[in-house]
Amino acid sequence: MIRRSVGLLLLMALAASWGWIRDSAPATLLGALLGALVWLVFDSVRAYQLMSWLAKADLDRTPRLSGLWGELTDRSRKLIKKLEKKAQNSDDRLEDFLAAIQASPNGVVLLDASSRIEWCNLTAAQHLGFDPQRDLGQYVRNMVRHPVFNAYMEAGDFMHEIQFDGPGQRPSQPSKISLQIHPYGKKRRLMMTRDVTAVQLAEAMRRDFVANVSHEIRTPLTVLSGFVETMQSIPLEEEERQRYLGLMSQQAQRMQTLVSDLLTLSRLEGSPAPGPGEWVDAHELAQHVVQEAIGLSAAIARPVHVVELEPGPRFWVSGVKTELLSAMSNLLSNAVRYTPAGGSIRAGWRLQDDGTGEFFVRDSGPGIAAEHLPRLTERFYRVDRSRSRETGGTGLGLAIVKHVTQRHGGQVQVQSVVGEGSTFVVSLPPSRVRQHAIG
């Protein structure tokens, strides 16, 4: 436009110099025409500046124009600024959305119509074993080569989820991944993954627990049923009758103890963790459980064990008194049951430099092999099953100790060497220990 205007102006100037226009029109017409052409050139220059600026949309270099073009420039600048702000808000929302998905405990993979990976979060990459950046655009079937997944994709029936072993599967660290695909949009697919290893382990533990409970109760019930049937069908002398009744009472007591321990575990797991609670004298707790251990030894061992309370610092501990007594009593009763008759058992409290209070039980028993130590606090786990049943153990004592200790913010430690005895320690945090009585 500028070139055409300048060319026309030059052409008219030449015509005026030659006398063409002077002979055919008044001088005023020539002036008006020249003025219009000059304005047209000026206006074209401003239009060109506006169009160039609009092509770049650089708000930092907005042209300074007046009149109609200035108004148009200002309105365009405001509109561009508004659109940029709207686009920035959309980008921020998208970033927040992706960050939320990235933080999700579930894996998320977006697939295009050809089942290529468009986007995935880190959780999905860990579940499926691929790189969230390098493998973008790859066919998902090339990245997840498990036969169960390939059959799932081939069938195209995504109404149910599938499960398969996680990447890098090792016998010592098994993992199980659950996966389901949800179609959306134009043939796109949302693939979600979950690590269900813990769920499966919990289910396996539940099955084992039910099986163990059934077994533990079935054994004394079988004995009781046998004795009852014998007494009903065979005439017995008074001495035999009394012996059978004694054995039946023993089995009934075993079942009662088992049910009591199960109820204790259920209560510990189903109730909230205790607060500061009452403050009790740690030495008095130790004296109480040591006397119980002496009584248990007298009932099941000949000769009896030497059970002693070691002297130590006097302090108070905070918590649920009945739970603390239960944990301490279980440690001592285990020591009595597993230490050969006549053996030595020592218990007591001690304070660490950081203020931690520790209750320990040290015995002169046969000791425990290292491979058993990590599983000692599992329910019904026994190093010597026959020995435990002979002495009336339920296999739940150390599980109760672990739950009570954890509820009070502490931990259980076991040190043992085969042939040299064992030491069990329950430690309570400094927040639950006071070295002076409450006035």
Side-chain angles (χ1 to χ4, degrees):
M1 180 182 294
I2 295 177
R3 289 181 178 178
R4 289 198 300 270
S5 299
V6 172
L8 181 59
L9 182 61
L10 291 176
L11 182 61
M12 293 182 66
L14 289 175
S17 64
W18 289 343
W20 295 351
I21 298 179
R22 187 175 49 209
D23 296 337
S24 59
T28 55
L29 179 61
L30 174 61
L33 184 58
L34 288 174
L37 288 175
V38 171
W39 176 257
L40 179 61
V41 171
F42 180 68
D43 204 46
S44 299
V45 169
R46 291 190 297 177
Y48 177 77
Q49 290 177 332
L50 175 60
M51 295 301 293
S52 298
W53 174 72
L54 288 175
K56 298 178 180 179
D58 187 358
L59 295 179
D60 295 331
R61 296 184 179 181
T62 305
R64 296 183 178 180
L65 303 176
S66 59
L68 178 62
W69 294 111
E71 180 69 18
L72 184 58
T73 300
D74 187 58
R75 294 189 180 188
S76 299
R77 182 183 59 81
K78 291 180 180 179
L79 179 60
I80 292 173
K81 189 174 181 179
K82 183 178 180 181
L83 292 175
E84 285 187 348
K85 185 176 180 180
K86 186 176 181 180
Q88 183 62 44
N89 290 337
S90 298
D91 290 342
D92 292 342
R93 286 196 297 270
L94 178 60
E95 289 296 326
D96 291 341
F97 178 71
L98 293 178
I101 298 179
Q102 196 68 262
S104 171
N106 294 329
V108 179
V109 182
L110 302 182
L111 304 176
D112 64 13
S114 300
S115 295
R116 288 189 293 257
I117 301 172
E118 289 187 321
W119 184 89
C120 75
N121 63 357
L122 292 175
T123 305
Q126 293 171 356
H127 288 170
L128 302 176
F130 53 75
D131 190 289
Q133 298 297 329
R134 182 192 62 207
D135 296 328
L136 291 182
Q138 298 291 330
Y139 288 98
V140 69
R141 295 178 69 173
N142 292 339
M143 308 308 302
V144 184
R145 298 180 177 274
H146 200 282
V148 175
F149 177 75
N150 290 331
Y152 184 63
M153 293 292 290
E154 192 69 30
D157 180 11
F158 305 132
M159 298 300 294
H160 64 283
E161 64 180 21
I162 59 172
Q163 294 183 2
F164 51 87
D165 296 334
Q169 179 80 353
R170 289 185 292 176
S172 60
Q173 295 179 338
S175 64
K176 209 75 171 178
I177 303 300
S178 171
L179 179 148
Q180 186 169 8
I181 290 178
H182 305 272
Y184 77 99
K186 297 182 179 179
K187 296 184 179 181
R188 281 180 163 78
R189 296 168 181 175
L190 170 67
M191 187 165 68
M192 301 193 67
T193 62
R194 292 184 300 127
D195 189 336
V196 295
T197 306
V199 176
Q200 292 211 343
L201 288 176
E203 179 63 21
M205 290 178 63
R206 185 193 66 81
R207 290 194 300 267
D208 291 343
F209 176 71
V210 172
N212 283 325
V213 170
S214 301
H215 176 72
E216 294 294 333
I217 293 180
R218 187 184 300 115
T219 301
L221 279 177
T222 301
V223 175
L224 281 172
S225 299
F227 284 144
V228 169
E229 183 179 352
T230 301
M231 295 180 68
Q232 288 177 337
S233 59
I234 302 176
L236 298 174
E237 297 292 335
E238 183 62 23
E239 182 179 352
E240 290 182 333
R241 180 174 174 274
Q242 290 300 324
R243 185 169 66 87
Y244 282 3
L245 287 175
L247 293 173
M248 292 170 66
S249 176
Q250 181 182 352
Q251 296 299 322
Q253 181 63 36
R254 178 180 169 187
M255 283 194 296
Q256 185 176 356
T257 303
L258 176 62
V259 171
S260 176
D261 284 351
L262 288 172
L263 290 176
T264 299
L265 269 177
S266 178
R267 178 176 55 81
L268 291 174
E269 292 179 341
S271 60
E278 59 180 320
W279 290 89
V280 293
D281 190 329
H283 182 71
E284 291 181 2
L285 294 178
Q287 281 183 322
H288 181 85
V289 295
V290 165
Q291 290 302 317
E292 285 185 348
I294 293 174
L296 177 62
S297 176
I300 67 173
R302 291 293 184 275
V304 298
H305 301 87
V306 179
V307 183
E308 295 180 324
L309 176 61
E310 287 194 0
R314 297 294 294 267
F315 56 89
W316 297 64
V317 293
S318 169
V320 181
K321 183 177 180 180
T322 55
E323 293 185 11
L324 294 174
L325 281 173
S326 176
M328 297 164 64
S329 178
N330 272 294
L331 285 182
L332 273 165
S333 64
N334 272 357
V336 171
R337 296 179 195 280
Y338 285 98
T339 301
S344 172
I345 300 172
R346 303 180 67 84
W349 284 93
R350 61 195 180 200
L351 274 177
Q352 298 294 337
D353 294 338
D354 62 354
T356 299
E358 294 183 345
F359 175 74
F360 64 91
V361 175
R362 185 184 304 113
D363 63 59
S364 60
I368 304 170
E371 63 266 21
H372 295 295
L373 296 181
R375 302 188 59 188
L376 284 180
T377 55
E378 292 182 13
R379 299 173 182 179
F380 298 110
Y381 186 82
R382 295 185 176 95
V383 177
D384 186 348
R385 291 183 175 273
S386 60
R387 173 67 177 167
S388 178
R389 290 198 178 95
E390 288 173 2
T391 55
T394 63
L396 297 173
L398 289 180
I400 293 175
V401 173
K402 180 188 71 173
H403 279 79
V404 169
T405 305
Q406 289 179 344
R407 282 167 53 81
H408 287 76
Q411 57 182 350
V412 181
Q413 300 173 354
V414 184
Q415 300 172 356
S416 185
V417 178
V418 175
E420 299 182 14
S422 305
T423 301
F424 289 78
V425 179
V426 167
S427 61
L428 297 179
S431 60
R432 291 191 177 272
V433 177
R434 284 184 181 174
Q435 298 189 46
H436 300 284
I438 301 176

